[in-house]
Amino acid sequence: QVRLVESGGGLVQAGGSLRLSCEASGRTSNNYKVGWFRQPPGKEREFVAAVTWIGGRTNYADSVEDRFTLSRDPVKNVVYLQMNSVNSEDTAVYLCAADYRLGGTRIYPADYDYWGQGTQVTVSS
């Protein structure tokens, strides 16, 4: 069992930056991967980025490539999502999730085993 807690959301102006955190407590393994998803108002949940715990290999959605960056702190068991140059389309509830399946990062919500409660990010123009 693993518990995920997101933090760092809030109100940010277009063009600004924000850093989200996903703190995990519980078991990890060599197959452990953390993904970030977001759910804009009235829309389906969509993939943002993911990282493998071992090796730190990352994968980003095209919409955030070159603007968002993942990093992790193995000591604190935290994954960070640095969001730069945000725009109105980035407004959403951001959720982190854990995947223990074999293989690389995945982009579909159904592939993730555990989820946090989410943190709201609102971009103002």
Side-chain angles (χ1 to χ4, degrees), residues 80-94:
Y80 301 101
L81 179 68
Q82 178 66 43
M83 306 167 58
N84 297 329
S85 302
V86 297
N87 57 60
S88 58
E89 294 184 350
D90 296 321
T91 293
V93 174
Y94 283 72

Side-chain angles (χ1 to χ4, degrees), residues 7 15 18 20 22 30 32 42-46 52 55 67 74-75 77-78 82 85 95 97 121 123-124:
S7 62
L18 207 61
L20 306 183
C22 173
N30 287 341
Y32 182 59
K43 296 185 179 180
E44 293 187 354
R45 194 166 294 184
E46 61 184 32
T52 61
R67 298 189 299 122
V75 174
N77 239 9
V78 176
Q82 178 66 43
S85 302
L95 307 101
V121 172
V123 180
S124 64

Side-chain angles (χ1 to χ4, degrees), residues 4 6 35 37 45 95-98 108-110 112-117:
L4 302 171
E6 303 94 337
F37 290 78
R45 194 166 294 184
L95 307 101
C96 67
Y108 297 107
Y112 287 77
D113 305 294
Y114 301 96
W115 291 83
Q117 292 300 308

